[in-house]
Amino acid sequence: MERWQNKVAVVTGASSGIGAAIAKDFVLAGLKVVALARRLQRMEEIKQSLPQDKQSQLSIMYCNVTDPANVDKVFDQIIDEFGGIDVLVNNAGCAKSGQLVDMDLKDITNILHTNVLGVVHCTQRAFKSMKERNFAGHVIIVNSIAGHTVLAGLPMSVPNVNIYSPTKFAVRAITEMYRQEFHGLGTKIKISSISPGFTDTEILYGDVRAALGDCMLDAHDVSNAVLYILSTPPHVQIHDLLIKPLGEGI
């Protein structure tokens, strides 16, 4: 991790769960972190939970990844204040229980904008910053096991993951597209995806959480894997890392 000391890492969806864990662990690993989310108070609490001598390494900014104008404003501010973006972790994501056959199109659109278009827009801005400075940065996407297997739902119930799995399958394809583009454009920028299994975060529905019991990852399990991805030498690129809790049934 020596090459990343005091480098600038942007983490989206950093107010809770995996994003919060990554933001904290990056700071403890020596990076300067810009945490992005809509819930500023939650991020302030995360900042205050860090050792006092590390708190200055975490900056927090409001960002709604579904709002292109807001994303551009925030990334412009980051570049002005920090000089560029060296690492991007696309973690922001959302889900809503319901069936694709009849759920509100507004909810479907919000999931698509968050899980897919938000990733694309943030990556465009980070990639531009890395390429302009000829910096071999790293873009990491937090995907999901749902991007490898369409979740069937609980036994004797109608599946309720609707558009979530399709958005995560799309992210798998996007990751490969970025790999080809980053190379084809003559950069040394890495792209990696991590696909966790069920993780103890706010995104889990109550019935799913009850069915899983203790068979879940902790957010820091995923964060530790992200640190491993980032720590690989320049010639090694982790393309897609699957991580599951022991005993997971899918």
Side-chain angles (χ1 to χ4, degrees):
M1 293 294 292
E2 289 183 8
R3 69 184 292 255
W4 298 110
Q5 296 303 294
N6 291 314
K7 298 301 183 184
V8 178
V10 175
V11 181
T12 69
S15 62
S16 65
I18 293 171
I22 292 171
K24 291 176 67 174
D25 288 346
F26 273 13
V27 167
L28 296 175
L31 287 85
K32 294 179 181 178
V33 177
V34 183
L36 305 182
R38 292 174 297 176
R39 296 180 293 183
L40 289 173
Q41 181 58 41
R42 291 287 293 275
M43 290 192 292
E44 183 61 37
E45 293 168 1
I46 292 164
K47 183 172 183 175
Q48 295 302 318
S49 73
L50 289 165
Q52 193 165 12
D53 63 335
K54 296 287 188 179
Q55 292 179 13
S56 64
Q57 294 292 99
L58 179 64
S59 301
I60 61 176
M61 297 182 185
Y62 174 90
C63 185
N64 178 356
V65 299
T66 70
D67 181 348
N70 180 230
V71 169
D72 282 334
K73 179 181 177 181
V74 170
F75 276 75
D76 285 344
Q77 182 179 348
I78 294 169
I79 291 167
D80 288 344
E81 291 186 15
F82 296 93
I85 299 163
D86 304 315
V87 177
L88 170 67
V89 179
N90 282 303
N91 170 72
C94 70
K96 187 177 179 65
S97 180
Q99 279 73 53
L100 197 56
V101 292
D102 61 5
M103 69 185 293
D104 195 321
L105 282 177
K106 290 181 180 179
D107 292 329
I108 295 173
T109 300
N110 184 59
I111 297 169
L112 284 166
H113 281 179
T114 304
N115 296 1
V116 179
L117 297 182
V119 169
V120 171
H121 194 180
C122 291
T123 300
Q124 286 181 341
R125 294 303 312 267
F127 177 80
K128 184 173 186 290
S129 172
M130 295 171 190
K131 189 173 187 298
E132 286 178 346
R133 294 176 297 122
N134 195 31
F135 183 77
H138 205 143
V139 176
I140 299 171
I141 301 175
V142 179
N143 198 334
S144 169
I145 193 65
H148 296 257
T149 302
V150 176
L151 304 181
L154 298 175
M156 307 301 292
S157 68
V158 180
N160 63 353
V161 295
N162 49 80
I163 202 69
Y164 181 77
S165 273
T167 64
K168 295 302 184 178
F169 270 80
V171 167
R172 278 183 65 199
I174 287 169
T175 299
E176 172 59 16
M177 183 57 65
Y178 282 144
R179 187 189 68 79
Q180 296 181 24
E181 290 184 353
F182 290 2
H183 174 70
L185 291 169
T187 78
K188 298 294 185 181
I189 299 168
K190 294 184 184 182
I191 177 70
S192 299
S193 172
I194 181 168
S195 296
F198 289 108
T199 307
D200 187 8
T201 66
E202 294 176 359
I203 203 170
L204 281 184
Y205 311 141
D207 55 347
V208 175
R209 180 181 295 275
L212 291 171
D214 294 330
C215 189
M216 291 185 289
L217 296 169
D218 181 81
H220 283 283
D221 297 328
V222 182
S223 179
N224 287 336
V226 171
L227 284 171
Y228 164 69
I229 290 172
L230 194 62
S231 70
T232 53
H235 70 286
V236 175
Q237 179 170 248
I238 304 298
H239 185 66
D240 195 355
L241 179 63
L242 277 74
I243 174 173
K244 297 184 180 185
L246 184 65
E248 184 175 274
I250 62 170

